[in-house]
Amino acid sequence: MSYAQKVIEDLKQRYAHETVFLQAVQEVLSTLQPALDKDAKYEKNKILERIVEPERIISFRVEWVDDKGEIQINRGYRVQYNSAIGPYKGGLRFHPSVNLGVLKFLGFEQIFKNSLTGLAIGGAKGGSDFDPKGKSENEVMRFCQAFMTELYRHIGATIDVPAGDIGVGGREVGYMYGMYKRLTKSYEGVLTGKNLLFGGSLARTEATGYGAVYFAQNMLEDRGETLEGKKCAVSGAGNVATYCCEKLYHVGATPVTVSDSRGMIHDDKGINVEVLKQVKEVERASLTRYAELVPGATYTPVSAYPQGRNAVWSVPCFAAFPCATQNELNLADAETLLKNGCKCVSEGANMPSTLDATNAFLKAGVAYGPAKAANAGGVATSQLEMQQNAGMQSWTFETVDGKLKDIMGNIFRNASETAKEFGQPGNLVLGANIAGFRKVADAMIAQGVL
Ligand code: GLU
């Protein structure tokens, strides 16, 4: 049994119930063996056994009072996974599905993603099983404040810098920032994704979605192709999906779908980004509202999706941008996309494709940008926000967007060259994993056994 396989088997015993975490570990470790074979130092230093264990897990109770005066209890977490190359960095997710296994999967992915950006940021993730859906503005504020009354002890501008993820946007970051400042008396860049009025960066809101499109452009350019004039399927309707759609128009492509947890919109004329922003960012409503506002669009509820499938992926497209959540695209979906002529997949969400869907894309040889490369633009721009905060500056939109574009190009070239180095040209899963891994592993070895 290979070294990587031995570590995977051991983890399966120890963390049998953390299924998405095991999936993420398997996805990364199963591609690292060529790098482990090439240099014995990784096994000798037990790097895999060390890198799969978080440096620290903080788990706490969050109590708050709802609008009816009833006491509510949620669970809060921060997984400080790896600080070999920089302060812990990664988002906070507020969603009822959040548990330690989900945050370990996200934190583990974040280590390699952050390393790939080429910037000095370690990996972390946190969040709560709090469900912001249906909560009043005051309830959201009280929850964010209660969450921060514990988290503030563990974070800091050079220690750990959280940001947003599913369920955490500018509003939540603002409430948490306010509470941090109140508790510590310190006005520092401790969170990213902040409002422009108190240290936020221009282009941070757009960065993950824009970055996924820049990454697709890089992959396609390398193959002599372009997105111009092409139909694209996008899933999700949050921040990543919205700005992915916006950027697709900028490059002459047409996004024809978006989706939320209740259903999907399909419109061959193209998604109306202004209406989408109005519905999701202002009204915080479901996509049924979008269908009311845009008469030509068709709405399909999740209950009408084909069994075990995501209907977004049955819409014929040249490129697919999964921007919703983990495991939203399975093998049957991948086969449908390929059958319909899809030539490019660029992942805006974290681990949206199941392992067998990923393998189907690789086998078909289409341009496939795995999440930790294709969606790294968000966290990369967070690090640009940290740079601006540290230097007490604010850069123009063009400056930040230009840096983002360069970073996405560098990630593509790094992953692509690493794949070639190991004799698997075009396999950006292997290329991204090995490139991200080597930097962190080498830093861990240089810093000794801690
Ligand atoms: N949650 C985002 C991610 O998955 C952004 C993290 C950040 O900006 O720190 O990368």
Side-chain angles (χ1 to χ4, degrees), residues 78 88-93 106 109-110 113-114 121-122 124-125 161-166 168 191-193 204 208 240 348-350 371 375-383 385-386:
R78 185 73 177 163
Y88 303 110
K89 182 84 196 85
L92 297 169
R93 177 176 290 192
L106 290 164
E109 288 279 299
Q110 202 82 40
K113 182 197 314 200
N114 292 5
I121 34 179
K125 205 83 187 192
V161 184
D165 195 80
I166 293 172
V168 178
L191 291 157
T192 58
R204 175 61 189 92
T208 316
V240 183
N350 287 311
N375 79 25
V379 75
T381 307
S382 276
Q383 207 276 358
E385 183 173 328
M386 289 163 69

Side-chain angles (χ1 to χ4, degrees), residues 205-345:
T205 310
E206 293 84 353
T208 316
Y210 278 21
V213 175
Y214 295 148
F215 197 82
Q217 283 185 302
N218 275 280
M219 291 195 291
L220 290 168
E221 200 184 311
D222 194 50
R223 295 163 174 245
E225 297 246 34
T226 156
L227 282 169
E228 213 179 319
K230 306 287 183 7
K231 259 185 208 168
C232 300
V234 178
S235 64
N239 162 274
V240 183
T242 301
Y243 292 95
C244 174
C245 290
E246 185 170 282
K247 183 49 73 178
L248 284 171
Y249 282 117
H250 294 173
V251 304
T254 309
V256 295
T257 59
V258 281
S259 64
D260 64 14
S261 59
R262 282 173 265 185
M264 69 167 281
I265 293 285
H266 177 200
D267 189 344
D268 256 341
K269 291 194 301 303
I271 295 300
N272 184 325
V273 176
E274 287 320 305
V275 173
L276 183 63
K277 285 183 188 174
Q278 170 65 26
V279 170
K280 287 293 171 185
E281 292 174 5
V282 182
E283 296 181 23
R284 296 179 187 271
S286 125
L287 286 174
T288 45
R289 174 81 180 128
Y290 179 102
E292 273 168 34
L293 295 171
V294 183
T298 12
Y299 178 78
T300 311
V302 168
S303 57
Y305 284 12
Q307 186 67 31
R309 300 271 310 280
N310 182 343
V312 171
W313 312 126
S314 60
V315 174
C317 64
F318 170 80
F321 292 85
C323 297
T325 194
Q326 65 265 20
N327 291 331
E328 55 163 310
L329 195 165
N330 63 23
L331 178 61
D333 296 321
E335 283 168 347
T336 309
L337 279 166
L338 292 167
K339 184 168 66 70
N340 287 337
C342 174
K343 293 280 179 286
C344 172
V345 182

Side-chain angles (χ1 to χ4, degrees), residues 33 90 101 116 123 126-127 129 136 145-146 159 186-187 204 248 256 259 272 277 355 396 415:
Q33 197 55 49
L116 273 175
D129 58 2
S136 72
Q145 293 176 336
I159 302 169
S186 114
Y187 199 102
R204 175 61 189 92
L248 284 171
V256 295
S259 64
N272 184 325
K277 285 183 188 174
L355 214 47
T396 63

Side-chain angles (χ1 to χ4, degrees), residues 29-49:
L29 265 52
S30 62
T31 62
L32 294 181
Q33 197 55 49
L36 305 170
D37 289 338
K38 193 169 173 182
D39 199 328
K41 70 180 173 188
Y42 299 122
E43 186 167 357
K44 185 165 160 276
N45 283 283
K46 298 207 173 165
I47 286 298
L48 292 189
E49 292 89 330

